[in-house]
Amino acid sequence: MPRLRAMTFTAAVAPKAPGQSSDICALIPVMAFAYSALIQPLIYFSFPPSPGLQGLLESRIENRIFWPALAAIAIIVAANRLARGGRLTVPPNILGLCAYFGFAGASVAWALKPEFAFVRFVQEAMVLTAIVLPALLSNPGADIMRGVFLCFAAGVILNVVLIPGGYATYALYGSTLVDIGYQGYFSGKNLLGEFAAIAFLLSVHELLYPGYRRALGFVVAVAAVVLIFFSSSKTALGLALVAPVLAVLTLLSARAMRLPPVLILVAMVLGYFVFAGLAGFNTSRIAYLLTGDSSFTGRTTIWAFSELEIAQRPLLGWGYQSFWLVGADAPSVTEAPGWVKAMPNSHNGYYDAILELGYVGLAFLLLFLAATVHVIGRVMEHDSRRAWILLSVALFVMFYNFLETLWLRAFDVTWVVFVLVTVEAARYWRRSALIAPVHQTATHRPVHAARTRALWKPRLGVRA
């Protein structure tokens, strides 16, 4: 009779002390987000930059101090962790991010203004180093997203407290300045809308847990909704409702059909384009029905100009962040019509990806996004609630990039959030990678006959 073999699984993870839920590697990414979402905007709020394009081009002293220091700390801490036996696992979405970012760095060679492209590439490198490297080496039990939520909670409460101050964004309509929405301590009402919408999503996630987490989540969710309405950010409100529902449908469909979530999303996107083509129900029509403005508040004019400039350098683009805000002699100033000359970007992350890096760069971006959704799908194996919130926030940012430019924008709050979502999903992939099968024969262990028979007991999802 053949000798029976027993299979056991062991994780190549160092044992964790009871109650140990965080470490310095988990704290550094949270510090990066706290600076982007709280400290930097409050500094700008107290000491605003120069008005107009000059203010956007200024290099702030606090950024020149904080980000190099945090990146250096991240490298030192990561080197120490690796020297003590830590393992650095690089999942597909991190590889995709590195490829996309690496191509952006290579574009300095053909950029319209190489000096601007290089400086902004270095800034982005510091931000990614401070977030990605320590997060991948952090304790598996550390909850980085919990720390991010607490930063959001502080920001939401502070913006609510500032409401009586009447801080608002003003737009010039003809010769009249019109209040178009509350901006809080941010530089514009759309920034507050993005911030509050993501805070709302994270708050709903907190409602899934009992005790004080549910209570705080409820308070922050209510405050976030108040801020969204005060900011008059219709896009943020709509996506805050659509993204979590779409995430649920995607994950449930993927589980039911045993397909990767990224394939479900691709099928949904293709289905939308087929429907829009047959029914003539495009995004402009949707915008008109929801807001009465099919131009997306003038964005279609910017997009038309962007398409003309893309046609001049379609393959490799003008270089990473080397088109907008690179001086008075740039095409964004010399060739743009009217008020478009004053724009800091295309107000569309995908148009700007093509403008800066060409269609090759867009391909790198789409591969990175697809890999991120795929890795989030693997999170379902460990924690379905965490998979849902990660995909909800990821979809929110992906959709929001159709109206704002966020990809590879170093100090932008929403981009930092997306990077954190990316590395959080990667940490769960790392857990799967560290689990390896170890085969041992039954003769090597003193197991009674009854225990040996128990090993052959059928179990759900395991084949003998």
Side-chain angles (χ1 to χ4, degrees):
M1 183 175 181
R3 190 181 300 273
L4 302 182
R5 287 183 176 269
M7 179 179 291
T8 60
F9 293 86
T10 182
V13 182
K16 186 174 51 136
Q20 181 182 353
S21 60
S22 63
D23 63 359
I24 184 64
C25 283
L27 180 61
I28 292 174
V30 176
M31 290 173 58
F33 177 73
Y35 181 81
S36 297
L38 296 170
I39 300 173
Q40 180 181 329
L42 286 171
I43 293 175
Y44 278 47
F45 179 75
S46 304
F47 306 98
S50 303
L53 292 177
Q54 181 60 35
L56 294 173
L57 289 171
E58 287 179 354
S59 177
R60 302 281 298 210
I61 183 64
E62 57 271 15
N63 290 332
R64 296 202 301 267
I65 295 174
F66 177 82
W67 288 110
L70 191 65
I73 292 171
I75 292 173
I76 293 170
V77 170
N80 181 60
R81 183 62 56 89
L82 290 171
R84 289 163 51 196
R87 292 174 56 184
L88 183 62
T89 302
V90 184
N93 60 337
I94 301 300
L95 289 174
L97 174 60
C98 291
Y100 176 43
F101 178 60
F103 185 73
S107 73
V108 174
W110 63 81
L112 173 68
K113 295 291 184 71
E115 63 277 14
F116 282 92
F118 178 75
V119 169
R120 291 165 182 174
F121 174 78
V122 171
Q123 290 174 340
E124 184 65 61
M126 290 186 292
V127 173
L128 293 179
T129 299
I131 297 174
V132 177
L133 185 59
L136 291 179
L137 291 168
S138 63
N139 189 319
D143 193 346
I144 294 177
M145 295 306 295
R146 172 70 175 161
V148 171
F149 166 73
L150 293 176
C151 293
F152 268 108
V156 164
I157 292 171
L158 183 54
N159 275 298
V160 170
V161 171
L162 290 174
I163 287 177
Y167 303 102
T169 298
Y170 290 90
L172 186 64
Y173 288 91
S175 59
T176 306
L177 281 176
V178 178
D179 178 356
I180 60 174
Y182 173 69
Q183 67 184 53
Y185 65 66
F186 289 100
S187 59
K189 64 109 175 177
N190 287 335
L191 294 177
L192 177 61
E194 297 171 31
F195 183 86
I198 299 176
F200 171 76
L201 294 176
L202 294 175
S203 300
V204 174
H205 176 250
E206 291 296 306
L207 294 176
L208 301 177
Y209 298 89
Y212 74 95
R213 293 187 63 171
R214 180 171 296 167
L216 180 59
F218 177 78
V219 171
V220 176
V222 172
V225 171
V226 170
L227 290 177
I228 293 174
F229 279 100
F230 268 78
S231 69
S232 300
S233 183
K234 301 180 182 66
T235 301
L237 176 61
L239 292 181
L241 299 176
V242 171
V245 174
L246 184 58
V248 168
L249 293 176
T250 300
L251 293 174
L252 291 179
S253 300
R255 173 174 286 181
M257 291 185 274
R258 298 183 180 181
L259 293 173
V262 64
L263 295 182
I264 303 297
L265 279 178
V266 169
M268 290 181 178
V269 171
L270 292 177
Y272 163 77
F273 280 114
V274 171
F275 171 77
L278 295 176
F281 197 71
N282 55 24
T283 52
S284 297
R285 179 65 175 167
I286 295 173
Y288 181 78
L289 291 175
L290 295 177
T291 66
D293 179 11
S294 60
S295 71
F296 292 97
T297 323
R299 286 177 173 83
T300 53
T301 302
I302 308 173
W303 299 342
F305 169 68
S306 297
E307 290 172 354
L308 292 175
E309 298 301 318
I310 287 171
Q312 296 187 36
R313 295 191 179 186
L315 188 61
L316 300 177
W318 296 83
Y320 175 60
Q321 292 201 40
S322 187
F323 182 82
W324 306 96
L325 300 178
V326 291
D329 59 340
S332 62
V333 177
T334 59
E335 300 178 13
W339 53 269
V340 177
K341 300 177 186 294
M343 289 296 101
N345 52 60
S346 296
H347 285 280
N348 185 301
Y350 303 97
Y351 271 123
D352 274 324
I354 306 173
L355 263 176
E356 297 174 2
L357 303 175
Y359 285 101
V360 175
L362 178 65
F364 276 109
L365 170 60
L366 295 180
L367 286 173
F368 161 53
L369 299 182
T372 297
V373 174
H374 175 65
V375 173
I376 290 175
R378 288 283 293 272
V379 179
M380 281 285 289
E381 300 174 6
H382 302 274
D383 188 340
S384 57
R385 291 177 296 186
R386 184 57 56 97
W388 168 76
I389 188 58
L390 293 179
L391 186 56
S392 297
V393 175
L395 291 176
F396 177 90
V397 178
M398 290 178 193
F399 289 142
Y400 211 90
N401 264 280
F402 283 103
L403 297 175
E404 298 293 342
T405 295
L406 306 172
W407 302 129
L408 283 186
R409 290 311 187 262
F411 307 143
D412 188 276
V413 176
T414 307
W415 165 245
V416 172
V417 171
F418 192 83
V419 175
L420 285 164
V421 166
T422 299
V423 296
E424 180 69 3
R427 292 172 72 231
Y428 280 84
W429 181 283
R430 172 176 170 242
R431 293 183 189 183
S432 298
L434 290 175
I435 297 176
V438 178
H439 298 274
Q440 293 181 333
T441 61
T443 57
H444 292 166
R445 300 171 55 197
V447 182
H448 296 291
R451 290 188 181 178
T452 304
R453 287 194 298 269
L455 292 173
W456 288 87
K457 182 179 180 180
R459 295 181 180 179
L460 182 63
V462 179
R463 292 185 179 181

